[in-house]
C-alpha cells in the first residue's frame, strides 16, 4: 500500500499562501465558464494586484490552467488530474462526504482499506481513493479491473442510522446518485440496470459494490465502492467485458477530481433525502432512471423454492421486470408464475426483438 505524498510543508506562510490559493481557486470555480476580473479577485482577497499575480502563478505551478485576458480577467480552464485531497477538496461542495480523503497510489482494493479505516474509527463520509487497484472487487465475487489513470476507484465510509435489514436501500440510493452524476458529466444516456449498474446503450459505465458490517439489528458501517470508467477506450476493456466510458459517451475528457467531486455531491444529496424522507423518493427516481423496468430479463441465481433442496446450478428465471419493491428487490413476472421478488441475483436484459 503506497500513500500518495502529502504536499510539502514550508512553515506558516506556506499554509497562508495555500489558503489564499484555494480562495482564488474557489472564486474561479464559482465563475465556471466565465472570466472573473482581477479587481474582483483583489477585492475578495483583500490583497494588492502583485499578490494576486503571485497566487495565480502559484496555482499554475500546481497544475491549474488559468487563462488571462486583458480587460476580462482570469478563467480556470484546467485542473490537475491528480486524485489527492488537496485537488479534490476545493472542487467539492459537500458538507460531510469527502471532507477527509485518503489518497493512495496503489491499493489491493479501496473497499478493503475503507473497512480497515472504518474499524479503526474513521467517520461517516471519509473517502478512500486509489490511482490503481491490484485486487479490485466486483459484485458476486467477481473482480474489477481498471487501468491506472483512466477511472475512478473510490470507496465511501457510511454510517447510516438504519437497521441492517434496510441496508439494500443504500444500493439504490447510490445507483440514483451515480447515474445523475454520470448524466451531469455528459453521459446523457446513463441509466440504471438493476440493482445498481450504470449503463449507457447497454454498456457498463460504472459499477457499485456496497459491503456492510453489522449485526442483526445495526449497521456498524457500510462501505460504498464505486468504479467509474472515465477515459477508457475500446481496447482498455478486458475481453468479454462490454464497457463504455465517460469519454466514449460524452466525447470529453473530464478530469478525475472533477468527476469525483460530482459523484460525492450527488451521493450526499440523495443520502440526505433518504434520511429525511425515507426510501419513497429514491425509489421513484430509480424507476425513472431504470433501464430494467418493463424489460424482459433473465435472472440467474433466484433462490430455489422452499423444500426443493439446494443446488450448485444457478436457478434461472425469465420474465418481465415490473417494479422495484419497497425494500429494493426487483419484482419479476415469470411465465405462468406469480410475481417473484429478486433480492440477490444477476440480471441480464434479454435482447429486444
Ligand atoms: C460491479 O461488479 O459492478 C461492482 C464494481 C465495484 C468496483 C469498485 S472500484 C472501487 C471499489 N473497490 C473495490 O474493490 N471495488 C469497488
Amino acid at each position: 500500500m503506497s500513500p500518495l505524498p502529502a504536499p510539502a510543508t514550508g512553515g506558516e506562510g506556506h499554509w497562508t499562501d495555500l489558503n489564499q490559493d484555494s480562495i482564488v481557486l474557489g472564486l474561479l470555480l464559482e465563475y465556471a465558464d466565465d472570466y472573473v476580473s482581477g479587481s474582483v479577485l483583489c477585492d475578495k482577497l483583500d490583497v494588492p494586484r502583485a499578490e494576486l499575480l503571485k497566487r495565480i502563478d502559484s496555482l499554475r505551478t500546481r497544475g491549474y490552467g488559468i487563462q488571462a485576458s486583458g480587460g476580462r480577467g482570469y478563467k480556470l480552464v484546467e485542473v490537475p488530474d491528480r486524485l489527492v485531497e488537496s485537488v479534490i477538496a476545493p472542487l467539492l461542495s459537500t458538507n460531510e462526504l469527502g471532507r477527509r480523503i485518503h489518497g493512495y497510489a496503489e491499493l489491493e482494493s479501496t473497499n478493503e482499506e475503507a473497512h480497515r479505516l472504518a474499524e479503526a474509527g474513521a467517520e461517516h463520509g471519509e473517502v478512500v481513493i486509489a490511482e490503481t487497484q491490484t485486487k479490485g472487487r466486483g459484485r458476486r465475487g467477481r473482480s474489477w479491473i481498471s487501468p491506472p489513470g483512466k477511472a475512478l476507484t473510490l470507496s465511501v465510509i457510511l454510517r447510516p442510522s438504519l437497521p441492517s435489514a434496510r441496508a439494500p436501500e443504500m444500493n439504490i440510493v447510490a445507483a440514483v446518485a451515480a447515474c445523475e452524476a454520470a448524466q451531469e458529466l455528459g453521459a446523457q444516456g446513463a441509466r440504471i440496470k438493476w440493482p445498481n449498474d450504470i449503463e449507457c446503450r447497454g454498456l457498463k459505465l460504472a459499477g457499485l459494490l456496497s459491503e456492510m458490517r453489522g449485526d442483526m439489528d445495526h449497521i456498524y458501517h457500510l462501505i460504498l465502492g464505486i468504479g467509474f470508467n472515465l477515459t477508457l477506450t475500446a481496447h482498455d476493456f478486458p475481453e468479454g467485458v462490454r464497457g463504455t466510458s465517460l469519454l466514449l459517451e460524452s466525447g470529453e475528457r473530464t478530469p478525475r477530481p472533477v468527476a469525483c467531486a460530482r459523484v460525492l455531491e450527488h451521493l450526499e444529496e440523495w443520502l440526505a433525502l433518504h434520511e429525511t424522507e425515507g426510501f419513497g423518493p429514491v425509489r421513484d427516481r430509480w424507476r425513472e432512471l431504470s433501464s430494467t423496468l418493463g424489460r424482459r430479463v433473465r435472472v440467474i441465481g433466484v433462490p430455489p423454492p422452499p423444500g426443493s433442496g439446494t443446488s450448485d446450478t444457478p436457478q434461472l428465471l425469465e420474465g418481465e421486470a415490473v417494479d422495484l419493491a419497497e425494500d429494493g428487490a426487483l419484482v419479476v413476472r415469470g411465465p405462468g408464475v406469480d410475481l417473484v421478488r429478486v433480492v440477490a441475483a444477476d440480471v441480464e436484459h434479454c435482447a429486444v426483438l
Side-chain angles (χ1 to χ4, degrees), residues 180-221:
E180 284 193 348
Q183 290 184 349
E184 186 188 335
L185 290 163
Q188 309 287 333
R191 294 289 178 274
I192 308 168
K193 174 171 167 262
W194 186 88
N196 55 14
D197 281 353
I198 310 302
E199 292 191 343
C200 288
R201 303 173 291 119
L203 306 172
K204 189 143 163 176
L205 176 65
L208 307 172
L209 175 69
S210 68
E211 297 173 330
M212 185 194 83
R213 297 274 197 276
D215 57 29
M216 291 282 282
D217 299 322
H218 304 103
I219 299 176
Y220 304 149
H221 68 257

Side-chain angles (χ1 to χ4, degrees), residues 143-147 229 232-243:
S143 55
W144 179 264
I145 298 166
S146 44
N229 298 330
L232 287 84
T233 50
H235 62 268
D236 289 317
F237 293 100
E239 212 174 301
V241 173
R242 303 185 66 244

Side-chain angles (χ1 to χ4, degrees), residues 109-111 133 136-139 144 154 197 204 207-208 225-227:
S109 152
T110 55
N111 268 31
Q133 299 184 119
R137 300 206 280 256
R139 284 183 67 232
W144 179 264
L154 67 92
D197 281 353
K204 189 143 163 176
L208 307 172
I226 304 172

Side-chain angles (χ1 to χ4, degrees), residues 83-129:
L83 289 174
V84 289
E85 188 171 54
S86 59
V87 175
I88 301 166
L91 305 169
L92 258 182
S93 65
T94 54
N95 292 316
E96 289 184 313
L97 301 196
R99 293 292 100 194
R100 179 139 191 228
I101 297 174
H102 307 263
Y104 297 86
E106 184 181 298
L107 282 176
E108 286 196 350
S109 152
T110 55
N111 268 31
E112 196 56 45
E113 177 64 3
H115 278 299
R116 197 189 64 72
L117 288 167
E119 271 146 27
E123 289 181 11
H124 174 83
E126 291 191 26
V127 169
V128 176
I129 195 157

Side-chain angles (χ1 to χ4, degrees), residues 25-336:
L25 189 57
L27 289 165
L28 292 171
L29 282 164
E30 221 175 88
Y31 284 75
D33 295 334
D34 257 340
Y35 282 88
V36 49
S37 80
S39 46
V40 167
L41 290 171
C42 286
D43 282 355
K44 299 249 183 189
L45 286 168
D46 196 20
V47 295
R49 182 68 65 138
E51 186 56 32
L52 172 66
L53 293 179
K54 269 200 213 162
R55 303 284 50 93
I56 300 277
D57 274 352
S58 158
L59 283 167
R60 284 182 175 143
T61 315
R62 288 169 55 200
Y64 294 88
I66 299 170
Q67 227 165 50
S69 150
R72 286 195 292 172
Y74 300 93
K75 181 166 124 177
L76 185 67
V77 289
E78 198 182 329
V79 298
D81 196 36
R82 294 176 58 227
L83 289 174
V84 289
E85 188 171 54
S86 59
V87 175
I88 301 166
L91 305 169
L92 258 182
S93 65
T94 54
N95 292 316
E96 289 184 313
L97 301 196
R99 293 292 100 194
R100 179 139 191 228
I101 297 174
H102 307 263
Y104 297 86
E106 184 181 298
L107 282 176
E108 286 196 350
S109 152
T110 55
N111 268 31
E112 196 56 45
E113 177 64 3
H115 278 299
R116 197 189 64 72
L117 288 167
E119 271 146 27
E123 289 181 11
H124 174 83
E126 291 191 26
V127 169
V128 176
I129 195 157
E131 289 285 335
T132 185
Q133 299 184 119
T134 51
K135 286 191 189 157
R137 300 206 280 256
R139 284 183 67 232
R140 298 178 69 75
R142 288 183 283 257
S143 55
W144 179 264
I145 298 166
S146 44
K150 298 191 172 188
L152 269 187
T153 47
L154 67 92
S155 301
V156 188
I157 298 169
L158 300 174
R159 296 192 184 276
S161 327
L162 285 179
S164 303
R166 289 186 59 195
E169 291 176 21
M170 302 302 273
N171 284 330
I172 305 295
V173 170
V176 165
C179 188
E180 284 193 348
Q183 290 184 349
E184 186 188 335
L185 290 163
Q188 309 287 333
R191 294 289 178 274
I192 308 168
K193 174 171 167 262
W194 186 88
N196 55 14
D197 281 353
I198 310 302
E199 292 191 343
C200 288
R201 303 173 291 119
L203 306 172
K204 189 143 163 176
L205 176 65
L208 307 172
L209 175 69
S210 68
E211 297 173 330
M212 185 194 83
R213 297 274 197 276
D215 57 29
M216 291 282 282
D217 299 322
H218 304 103
I219 299 176
Y220 304 149
H221 68 257
L222 191 141
I223 303 302
L224 176 65
I226 304 172
F228 196 138
N229 298 330
L230 294 183
T231 52
L232 287 84
T233 50
H235 62 268
D236 289 317
F237 293 100
E239 212 174 301
V241 173
R242 303 185 66 244
T244 187
S245 69
L246 201 53
L247 173 64
L248 293 173
E249 296 304 315
S250 69
E252 282 181 22
R253 280 179 187 275
T254 305
R256 290 176 304 157
V258 172
C260 176
R262 293 300 88 83
V263 168
L264 294 175
E265 284 161 6
H266 281 275
L267 186 59
E268 182 163 292
E269 189 192 318
W270 279 100
L271 285 169
L273 197 67
H274 180 248
E275 194 175 332
T276 53
E277 295 187 27
F279 191 49
V282 181
R283 186 182 176 207
D284 290 345
R285 187 69 180 129
W286 188 96
R287 285 174 171 135
E288 284 169 6
L289 295 169
S290 165
S291 59
T292 301
L293 292 185
R295 287 286 295 264
R296 194 160 181 78
V297 293
R298 185 173 306 113
V299 186
I300 304 143
V302 192
S308 64
T310 53
S311 158
D312 287 342
T313 326
Q315 305 287 314
L316 276 177
L317 166 74
E318 259 192 46
E320 187 197 349
V322 290
D323 201 5
L324 183 75
E326 274 175 14
D327 59 356
L330 184 68
V331 183
V332 177
R333 182 181 292 115

